[in-house]
Amino acid sequence: MGGSKRTKFSGRPLVVSTIGIDQRQLFGQRGAYLREIELEFPVKIVARGDEIQIYGDPEPSEQVKALFEDMIRHIADGGYISEQTLQYAIDSVRGINRSEVPALDDDRILLTNRKVPLRPRSEGQRHYVDAIFGSDLVFAIGPAGTGKTYLAVACAVRFLKERRIDRIVLVRPAVETDEKLGFLPGDMKEKVDPYLRPLYDALYDMLPRGQVERYLENGVIEVAPLAFMRGRTLNNSFIILDEAQNTTIRQMKMFLTRLGMNSKTVITGDITQIDLADKSLSGLLNAPKVLEGIPGIEFVYLTDRDVVRHPLVQEIIMAYERWENGKDKQVEE
């Protein structure tokens, strides 16, 4: 690593605008990335308002300016700056070839219908996507807003486009809470569709509406309640079980044994939102105790740090965690 000489820099700085960019991503936690860049290049970086000022000799200053411009483009495209991607970007502007480190643009899963590149936006999400590509059975456990379902559907659509699989099977348990399904109007499809709506919404973000409808008609995409999985073997498929915290242990075992040849399964859920009458019977709570350590099965645990919805969602999750922890403490006392 090139060390920065802590000398006074004078002269006119090079300026990079950060308007519209999340500076927390660009600068790292408490400015860690800025300090890292200053250690790598003999420059002084000053962040003021919506701009970065770079002081130093012309060549390293231009390199750091190019570095920030690459990082800003990456964030604007929906990317996430990690320690690894920062180091890649530093090596790139220096002209160092590090083929073992992924390029800034290599983490794109696909383009959405609005032509927006879809990428992992946190370290947890990156680990999650890597697990999906690397393992045949992945459990993603975490709170609302962490992209569990959305990223799984995105990976499934990519696998379908690349013809790695023949169909996508999206599954959800239809758990009855305040209203009983039997009293809802319509046929069975109309009764269960509201439970499956988040899966449809994700699909319509990834594929043109007409194409989704055709795929649903010809069975390339199947959206079904968990009860419809019994007795089936799913070959050449990408299977997603969403809201898995509301499966029983028996249902989870039944679902897991549907996995066929050349298939990939992703199971998502939030163990803090179990709607079963007896929460201890949740198949998602039980699965790590039974399956952890088996080769080919990976458990990914997302946290409030991976929340990518409105910033208030992260605060809400943390507030409820504090409340739950306080309640548990009172019970113990």
Side-chain angles (χ1 to χ4, degrees):
M1 296 173 70
S4 169
K5 294 178 181 177
R6 296 291 175 181
T7 58
K8 267 196 169 183
F9 291 100
S10 58
R12 200 165 184 172
L14 293 180
V15 176
V16 179
S17 172
T18 62
I19 292 174
I21 295 298
D22 184 348
Q23 291 187 349
R24 291 171 299 179
Q25 276 204 55
L26 185 63
F27 298 164
Q29 190 172 12
R30 297 179 180 175
Y33 294 164
L34 300 184
R35 293 192 294 274
E36 179 72 17
I37 294 167
E38 284 186 330
L39 287 171
E40 294 279 357
F41 297 90
V43 298
K44 175 65 179 174
I45 301 168
V46 178
R48 284 197 178 134
D50 289 326
E51 67 178 31
I52 300 166
Q53 298 173 356
I54 306 162
Y55 294 87
D57 291 336
E59 184 177 352
S61 294
E62 288 288 351
Q63 287 180 318
V64 172
K65 182 173 185 284
L67 169 64
F68 277 117
E69 288 170 346
D70 282 349
M71 293 165 68
I72 286 167
R73 274 194 299 271
H74 183 60
I75 294 169
D77 285 344
Y80 173 77
I81 302 297
S82 66
E83 290 280 357
Q84 188 182 47
T85 51
L86 173 64
Q87 191 58 56
Y88 174 88
I90 289 170
D91 289 345
S92 291
V93 298
R94 283 179 166 160
I96 299 172
N97 179 25
R98 290 187 47 168
S99 57
E100 73 275 12
V101 179
L104 280 177
D105 291 330
D106 281 352
D107 61 353
R108 184 177 73 182
I109 302 170
L110 48 70
L111 285 175
T112 67
N113 279 334
R114 292 170 295 168
K115 305 303 179 186
V116 176
L118 178 57
R119 295 184 170 94
R121 293 175 61 185
S122 70
E123 282 296 337
Q125 287 191 351
R126 185 182 299 277
H127 175 47
Y128 177 32
V129 172
D130 288 345
I132 291 174
F133 278 84
S135 302
D136 286 338
L137 177 56
V138 177
F139 287 81
I141 301 171
T146 50
K148 303 183 299 294
T149 303
Y150 198 76
L151 289 173
V153 173
C155 291
V157 170
R158 175 166 167 177
F159 272 60
L160 184 65
K161 286 183 173 182
E162 294 176 352
R163 299 185 178 180
R164 300 194 201 186
I165 45 118
D166 296 333
R167 60 178 170 165
I168 298 171
V169 182
L170 306 174
V171 184
R172 252 194 173 202
V175 174
E176 300 180 330
T177 52
D178 295 333
E179 291 184 273
K180 298 296 183 182
L181 286 175
F183 291 97
L184 294 176
D187 59 19
M188 178 53 73
K189 183 180 185 301
E190 290 169 328
K191 290 177 191 290
V192 300
D193 266 1
Y195 294 93
L196 306 173
R197 180 51 51 189
L199 299 174
Y200 286 115
D201 291 342
L203 283 173
Y204 289 133
D205 268 1
M206 316 288 174
L207 293 166
R209 181 171 288 269
Q211 189 173 21
V212 172
E213 300 300 338
R214 286 194 301 274
Y215 281 163
L216 288 167
E217 285 175 13
N218 61 27
V220 173
I221 296 177
E222 179 183 353
V223 186
L226 179 60
F228 287 20
M229 293 297 104
R230 191 172 298 279
R232 301 179 61 184
T233 300
L234 301 171
N235 296 314
N236 304 309
S237 303
F238 195 117
I239 312 140
I240 300 171
L241 173 59
D242 192 35
E243 297 290 338
Q245 74 273 7
N246 290 327
T247 63
T248 65
I249 295 171
R250 288 182 61 189
Q251 287 175 325
M252 180 64 77
K253 179 183 176 184
M254 178 274 290
F255 175 78
L256 291 173
T257 53
R258 302 308 96 200
L259 184 63
M261 300 301 295
N262 190 39
S263 287
K264 187 175 291 284
T265 297
V266 179
I267 296 166
T268 71
D270 179 358
I271 56 175
T272 68
Q273 296 192 40
I274 299 171
D275 295 323
L276 298 173
D278 185 348
K279 291 179 170 51
S280 67
L281 295 180
S282 168
L284 190 62
L285 274 178
N286 175 259
K289 303 170 190 173
V290 178
L291 303 173
E292 202 141 30
I294 296 177
I297 300 177
E298 190 157 355
F299 287 84
V300 178
Y301 296 91
L302 300 168
T303 71
D304 56 88
R305 293 184 180 181
D306 302 302
V307 171
V308 293
R309 290 182 185 169
H310 192 287
L312 277 177
V313 174
Q314 189 175 48
E315 296 297 328
I316 290 166
I317 290 166
M318 292 171 67
Y320 270 99
E321 283 180 355
R322 288 193 296 270
W323 179 75
E324 290 284 352
N325 290 337
K327 190 173 69 169
D328 291 344
K329 192 174 180 182
Q330 287 176 357
V331 171
E332 287 173 7
E333 291 172 352

